Amino acid sequence: MNQTTNPATRPKRLLSIDGGGLAGLIPAEALIAIETQLDALTGRPAPLSDRFDLIGGTSTGAILAAGLALGLKAADLRDFYLKFGKDIFTKVFITERLWHDYPSAPLERHLKEVFGEDTTLGSDKLRTQILIVAKNATQGTTWFFTNNKKGKYFANNRGLPLWQIVRASSAAPTYFPPQPMSIPDASGQPGNFEFIDGGVSTYNNPSLHVFLEATDPQYQFGWPIGTGNLLLMSLGTGFNAITVPAGKASGYNLLNWARYVVKDLMGDANLEQNVLMHLIGQPPPGKPPASIAETSAVRASGVLASDALDFISPGVSKALTYQRITVSLTRERLAALNLADIDPAKVGEMDAVDQIPNFQRIGQAIAKEQVRMDPLRQFFV
């Protein structure tokens, strides 16, 4: 048995998936390509739960991460958005929209259907390690739910329904109501909390914490770092600058600014996480298939971000092999993908049900452009 097939000695493979509502179709299509290429590369079909040792996700990324960890095929998760997207994003009555735009019942129903109502975080149905990011609004802290049996809070969280944790991670403020959960403390006394979208933190792109979870001894994995020891694939849902036309900002009301802040925070968090991961990570060998557009956007965002990418020379040791797959949702970038008919403003909205086919088209184009598993064969074969 060679090094890569022995679980005790082979390199560890990590997967991280961003939040982004219906734009989850973009990483879903990338996952289909990853799965297909790995099946061909290894000569055997297998779900991605058998390919990756730890899968992390926030918001819509939590839906994908949880489904993968349960052994679902990537195409089945893509179909979750195609089948249920319109139902999930159906507006509440006008009298309720002071609080949120969409009811939680459709999302809850479909999560229970796909994940099982009785499947818990500690369930043996989970075939790999998982990490789901949610924001505890009651305490004002970011929580990382994991099924690592050695984890500090596993005993408290193991009985929580998986669908409920995913629903908490995707409870974007102004879009969905918070998710209440009763979680026992160390003495067994229940604590009642309300959770909101994990994207309302610096972890809408959870890749840095997925890396820390895997390597920091306090999280009880303690896997060794090094470009040959650790691979992290990070899948984005697309990004763009959140702009307000000149003269319009003074007319924004509280709801306008609430939406702006949520989306802008997610964008800034994604940018920061990617800059940090590029600093500590090395791209796969060979010419990268690009998140060139994202790197360009990083450089355009300011001198510090640009300098940060150039600060560490190629000779400096890196902590892991890191590949980012995403797309800049600009008119120029979409045109370069032969998608000039898609309006970037429309696909910039996470609840744009009329753009579901276009989210899928973008995902297919990005998968074709950027998913290259052959340069990563050392981690899988």
Side-chain angles (χ1 to χ4, degrees):
M1 181 176 288
N2 64 34
Q3 184 186 34
T4 56
T5 57
N6 185 342
T9 59
R10 65 162 172 75
K12 298 299 182 182
R13 293 94 58 131
L14 317 178
L15 180 63
S16 173
I17 312 172
D18 290 11
L22 291 170
L25 274 163
I26 297 174
E29 289 291 346
L31 290 168
I32 292 172
I34 291 169
E35 186 178 273
T36 301
Q37 291 185 28
L38 286 177
D39 286 351
L41 198 64
T42 62
R44 63 181 181 86
L48 291 180
S49 58
D50 294 358
R51 307 289 194 191
F52 288 90
D53 301 289
L54 174 60
I55 304 176
T58 302
S59 195
T60 202
I63 296 174
L64 294 168
L68 292 176
L70 287 169
L72 297 180
K73 301 288 284 183
D76 293 333
L77 292 167
R78 182 268 318 275
D79 291 347
F80 179 91
Y81 295 87
L82 299 181
K83 291 177 181 177
F84 306 135
K86 289 184 179 179
D87 187 35
I88 290 170
F89 287 95
T90 297
K91 298 271 189 184
V92 297
F93 292 115
I94 191 70
T95 53
E96 297 179 58
R97 290 188 199 169
L98 288 174
W99 295 274
H100 50 83
D101 272 355
Y102 305 105
S104 60
L107 177 57
E108 292 176 7
R109 181 173 65 254
H110 295 309
L111 290 176
K112 291 175 185 178
E113 291 170 1
V114 174
F115 300 151
E117 189 168 355
D118 299 324
T119 303
T120 64
L121 185 64
S123 172
D124 291 336
K125 294 179 183 178
L126 289 166
R127 298 169 56 148
T128 191
Q129 298 296 319
I130 191 171
L131 182 145
I132 296 175
V133 185
K135 184 82 171 185
N136 186 327
T138 305
Q139 292 188 334
T141 54
T142 304
W143 283 32
F144 304 96
F145 292 95
T146 174
N147 60 334
N148 179 8
K149 292 180 172 58
K150 296 180 180 179
K152 182 177 180 180
Y153 299 107
F154 177 73
N156 307 74
N157 300 333
R158 62 182 303 168
L160 296 173
L162 182 64
W163 73 263
Q164 199 174 82
I165 298 172
V166 173
R167 159 73 177 97
S169 180
S170 54
T174 77
Y175 292 91
F176 293 102
Q179 174 63 43
M181 287 201 287
S182 179
I183 304 174
D185 61 19
S187 66
Q189 295 299 311
N192 296 314
F193 307 102
E194 288 184 302
F195 286 84
I196 58 175
D197 196 317
V200 189
S201 71
T202 55
Y203 297 101
N204 188 60
N205 171 352
S207 55
L208 178 61
H209 196 81
V210 170
F211 166 74
L212 293 174
E213 190 82 23
T215 59
D216 190 326
Q218 71 170 314
Y219 296 116
Q220 302 300 316
F221 285 121
W223 292 334
I225 63 172
T227 57
N229 295 325
L230 202 64
L231 166 69
L232 194 156
M233 298 190 71
S234 175
L235 309 185
T237 56
F239 69 98
N240 208 347
I242 309 301
T243 60
V244 180
K248 296 291 186 181
S250 59
Y252 265 30
N253 59 32
L254 291 176
L255 183 58
N256 294 142
W257 283 118
R259 287 287 173 85
Y260 177 89
V261 168
V262 169
K263 290 195 285 187
D264 196 51
L265 174 61
M266 288 181 177
D268 285 349
N270 288 351
L271 175 63
E272 179 185 38
Q273 296 287 317
N274 193 45
V275 169
L276 292 172
M277 293 308 299
H278 274 295
L279 282 171
I280 66 174
Q282 175 177 293
K287 184 179 179 181
S291 57
I292 293 172
E294 181 165 24
T295 301
S296 299
V298 169
R299 294 183 183 281
S301 68
V303 175
L304 289 177
S306 177
D307 290 347
L309 290 179
D310 296 326
F311 180 73
I312 297 183
S313 68
V316 175
S317 296
K318 298 298 184 81
L320 74 162
T321 296
Y322 173 70
Q323 183 171 8
R324 175 73 169 166
I325 296 173
T326 192
V327 59
S328 173
L329 298 173
T330 63
R331 193 167 296 281
E332 295 75 18
R333 183 72 169 107
L334 292 173
L337 292 168
N338 296 316
L339 299 172
D341 60 300
I342 296 178
D343 184 342
K346 291 182 178 179
V347 292
E349 299 296 331
M350 61 181 280
D351 58 344
V353 294
D354 62 321
Q355 296 299 304
I356 287 176
N358 286 333
F359 285 128
Q360 184 177 14
R361 291 172 61 205
I362 294 169
Q364 290 169 340
I366 291 307
K368 182 178 180 180
E369 178 192 63
Q370 297 182 27
V371 176
R372 300 284 186 276
M373 299 310 295
D374 189 67
L376 300 170
R377 65 167 49 240
Q378 64 167 311
F379 293 98
F380 296 97
V381 177

